[in-house]
Amino acid sequence: MDSVSVSFDSSPDSIARPRHDWTRPEAETLYDLPFPDLLFQAQTIHRRHFDPNRVETASLLSIKTGGCPEDCGYCAQSAHYDAGVKATKLMDRDAVLETARRAKEAGAGRFCMAAAWRHPKDRDLDRVCDMIGAVKALGMETCATLGMLTPEQARRLQQAGLDFYNHNVDTSPEFYGKIITTRTMQDRIDTLAHAREAGLKVCCGGIIGMGEQVGDRLGMLLLLANLPAHPESVPINLWNEVRAVPVNDTAERPDPIALVRMIAVARIMMPKSVVRLSAGRQYMTDELQALCFVAGANSIFIGDLLLTTKNPQTVRDAALLDRLGMTSPLDGAKAPATSLI
Ligand code: SF4
């Protein structure tokens, strides 16, 4: 371990003001702490801001699948690769609303609507705004991920009742060019800024297991933690096996302990952000998920499909949280007899 020390001022004043000046040596020092020390630090910070025994639940629906002009090297929905995903048109409002209703019954507190676009066309945005208003009226939090936004589009979404805008940075600035060439990291940061300026909360994270190094994972966390405001929601995805996409050539399933370390560092560097275990949970054992919750993860997606990839069944999630003595909106919810999506 190097000689950089990371101090944890646990005074209420310090904890109330998350930092935005994290350095790489600090991130590396945290990551390399002995595992029990790292988890203790993460739990201590987690408990200052959250109920440590509770996870939030969100549901994700692909409202427009496939045919995307972007070349994200991990994505089955890119038109650049033949991953066997059929392109669809934008879903009808009523079908979206019915799915949201079922997700709410199954215990989802937030409903995320995803469209495989480079950016929304204004006529499509009208329809999405209509969906957002209808889902919001069900009493759910709303999230959308629609690609790049102009400032005006972000304002329109906010006025329609959107709570969160998801736009992931995916990986570190250094590794980014190996994964995506059709939009820059700066494009992404600009869209995040437009969402912020419009008054939207930001959901932003990335994917691990695409062949990046630990230093890239920390680089991604540094980027997020040093934004002018931390994303309220930080999804951490594990690479899902998708056929015929370039990431297959470099992908490597991360060491589970490395994943827990990364979650813990995210919790420490972004103490007030909700950290979500997102895609790839089907590869995680119950024990690994439990360790991630101890490290500070406090959100999951429910439903047995995440866009085009599998997700654990809601009954398995409810059983795991029950075994762990943890609470979530799944408590007392009606388990779906069929797929939510
Ligand atoms: S990740 Fe999103 S932007 Fe990239 S190809 Fe897939 S749908 Fe398009």
Side-chain angles (χ1 to χ4, degrees), residues 6-17 19 41 45 48:
V6 183
S7 69
F8 291 95
D9 177 355
S10 58
S11 66
D13 193 40
S14 165
I15 294 289
R17 285 199 308 268
R19 290 177 51 194
Q41 300 279 14
I45 288 174
R48 295 205 176 250

Side-chain angles (χ1 to χ4, degrees), residues 5 36 38 57 66 72 98 114 133 141 145 165 189 192 194 231 257 263 272 305 322:
S5 69
L38 176 59
T57 50
C72 307
E98 179 51 30
E141 284 187 315
T145 182
Y165 194 71
I189 290 169
L192 293 172
H194 298 155
I257 298 297
I263 299 280
K272 294 186 173 182
L305 194 64
D322 188 48

Side-chain angles (χ1 to χ4, degrees), residues 64 66-81 115-118 145-147 167 170 180 182-183 188 207 307:
K64 192 273 166 202
C68 181
E70 302 293 293
D71 71 349
C72 307
Y74 51 83
C75 184
Q77 302 197 67
S78 169
H80 294 256
Y81 320 120
W117 288 322
R118 176 172 165 80
T145 182
L146 313 170
H167 201 57
D170 286 351
I180 302 131
T182 51
R183 70 168 68 139
R188 293 182 188 248
I207 307 170
L307 303 181

Side-chain angles (χ1 to χ4, degrees), residues 90-282:
L90 183 60
M91 282 175 70
D92 286 339
R93 171 188 180 277
D94 289 352
V96 172
L97 196 55
E98 179 51 30
T99 309
R101 223 179 254 124
R102 279 190 283 141
K104 186 182 180 193
E105 277 182 11
R110 186 179 310 161
F111 192 68
C112 308
M113 291 159 271
W117 288 322
R118 176 172 165 80
H119 49 69
K121 297 189 182 86
D122 284 342
R123 68 169 182 275
D124 291 327
L125 201 70
D126 292 340
R127 292 179 58 197
V128 175
C129 286
D130 195 25
M131 292 171 196
I132 288 166
V135 173
K136 185 86 177 164
L138 294 177
M140 302 181 83
E141 284 187 315
T142 54
C143 178
T145 182
L146 313 170
M148 294 185 286
L149 294 181
T150 65
E152 175 57 21
Q153 287 176 324
R155 273 193 294 276
R156 286 188 55 204
L157 289 166
Q158 193 272 340
Q159 284 161 6
L162 190 68
D163 296 303
F164 288 80
Y165 194 71
N166 166 266
H167 201 57
N168 290 334
V169 293
D170 286 351
T171 188
S172 68
E174 295 76 21
F175 194 67
Y176 184 89
K178 296 192 171 65
I179 302 294
I180 302 131
T181 67
T182 51
R183 70 168 68 139
T184 65
M185 183 66 95
Q186 189 58 49
D187 290 332
R188 293 182 188 248
I189 290 169
D190 290 347
T191 286
L192 293 172
H194 298 155
R196 270 280 171 237
E197 284 155 14
L200 294 166
K201 293 179 197 159
V202 164
C203 173
C204 182
I207 307 170
I208 68 172
M210 299 190 291
E212 77 288 339
Q213 303 298 306
V214 167
D216 292 306
R217 296 174 197 160
L218 295 179
M220 180 179 86
L221 294 183
L222 282 164
L223 171 65
L224 297 174
N226 289 338
L227 287 171
H230 294 166
E232 282 80 1
S233 182
V234 178
I236 303 293
N237 298 276
L238 270 185
W239 155 250
N240 269 279
E241 283 155 18
V242 176
R243 71 179 171 91
V245 297
V247 159
N248 274 315
D249 298 338
T250 54
E252 199 177 347
R253 185 78 37 81
D255 167 20
I257 298 297
L259 171 67
V260 181
R261 284 187 179 276
M262 189 184 164
I263 299 280
V265 173
R267 165 53 60 230
I268 294 166
M269 288 170 58
M270 293 174 278
K272 294 186 173 182
S273 302
V274 168
V275 177
R276 178 177 308 116
L277 298 180
S278 299
R281 256 191 333 114
Q282 80 273 26

